[in-house]
Each structure stands twice: as C-alpha cells, then as structure tokens.
Amino acid sequence: MGKISFTMDLWTDLDLRAYMAVTAHWLELHRSGRVQQNIDLHTDLIGFVHVPGSHTGDHLASIFLAIIDCLKLVKKVILFLFYEDTSLYDFIDWMDYNG
C-alpha cells in the first residue's frame, strides 16, 4: 500500500564478528470484485552483512543506507523508532543529512 517498515538487528557471533540484518515489512492489497478485498502482510530479509569496526550511529546508518539504496527503497523510509541509545540519535541525524 505504498510504504515499507524496516527492522534492523545487530549481534556478534562467538568469534566476536558483528553482523547486521535488515528486514522489510509491507502490506499488499488484493481486490477481487467490487466488494471483497484482502490485505496480505509480506516480510523479507533484504540485507545480512558483516559490520566491521565500531558500532557508531554514523557507521550503522551508512550500512543501512547502502542496503536500502541498493534496492531503491530510500524514498520509502518515513520514520525511525529505537530503544533508547545515544548512538542511534547519531544514526537518525546521519540519515537526515545523507538519505
């Protein structure tokens, strides 16, 4: 229905290598006839990447932007929601400036 929600998660494996996964979620409207319509929820893993270096907001934002830019989804981003973390404020600022 035009907009996409993204979720992002970061973790490290047992060898202390960091990874980022980005998932996209969207709704699709299906009409059959004049009255009946169905809305389907779609979810897809759109990025799974190694994240070398520090986990600053700027660095995480640049990786996220590279993933969604590669798929031509940058214009679909309208809102960021985070748990409280000061590095994530840098993420939002970086996205505002570069996205």
Side-chain angles (χ1 to χ4, degrees):
M1 302 197 340
K3 301 296 178 190
I4 300 173
S5 296
F6 300 95
T7 54
M8 178 178 65
D9 193 16
L10 291 127
W11 69 94
T12 56
D13 67 12
L14 295 176
D15 294 322
L16 301 178
R17 291 178 299 223
Y19 295 92
M20 175 191 290
V22 178
T23 307
H25 314 271
W26 68 97
L27 298 174
E28 185 175 11
L29 178 64
H30 296 282
R31 289 194 174 122
S32 58
R34 293 179 127 189
V35 178
Q36 187 177 6
Q37 49 187 356
N38 296 322
I39 298 176
D40 294 326
L41 172 63
H42 296 276
T43 298
D44 199 3
L45 178 66
I46 62 168
F48 183 84
V49 296
H50 177 245
V51 180
S54 62
H55 293 177
T56 65
D58 291 351
H59 188 213
L60 299 178
S62 67
I63 293 169
F64 175 76
L65 184 60
I67 291 169
I68 64 171
D69 187 45
C70 180
L71 297 170
K72 309 276 191 266
L73 298 175
V74 173
K75 298 207 183 282
K76 298 285 185 175
V77 177
I78 58 170
L79 178 65
F80 289 102
L81 297 173
F82 296 106
Y83 291 107
E84 191 170 327
D85 182 333
T86 55
S87 68
L88 296 176
Y89 294 117
D90 294 335
F91 180 107
I92 294 168
D93 289 342
W94 195 94
M95 288 296 294
D96 275 344
Y97 184 77
N98 294 285

